[in-house]
Amino acid sequence: MAYGAHEHYYIKNLFNTISLLGIGAISLVVAGVSILNVMMMSTVERTKECDACDRHV
């Protein structure tokens, strides 16, 4: 099956678009997990601090 110049350009452009969308999606997922981790660790540390303060009172 032979492709003309227009079809070849369309397929190449579609592949580039899908590749960029995939990279963007992965980047957003990694950033979201990182933010979640920071928030969770902050909450765990504050909870430990509050528990330690309650025990001393």
Side-chain angles (χ1 to χ4, degrees):
M1 183 171 178
Y3 293 111
H6 182 67
E7 288 86 4
H8 182 69
Y9 174 76
Y10 177 75
I11 291 171
K12 190 175 180 181
N13 192 17
L14 184 64
F15 179 74
N16 287 339
T17 303
I18 291 173
S19 298
L20 287 175
L21 284 174
I23 291 171
I26 291 170
S27 299
L28 285 174
V29 168
V30 169
V33 168
S34 300
I35 292 171
L36 178 69
N37 186 25
V38 169
M39 292 173 68
M40 190 173 69
M41 292 309 297
S42 176
T43 304
V44 167
E45 288 177 6
R46 290 188 120 204
T47 304
K48 286 180 183 177
E49 290 175 4
C50 290
D51 288 342
C53 291
D54 289 341
R55 289 183 192 149
H56 291 297
V57 172

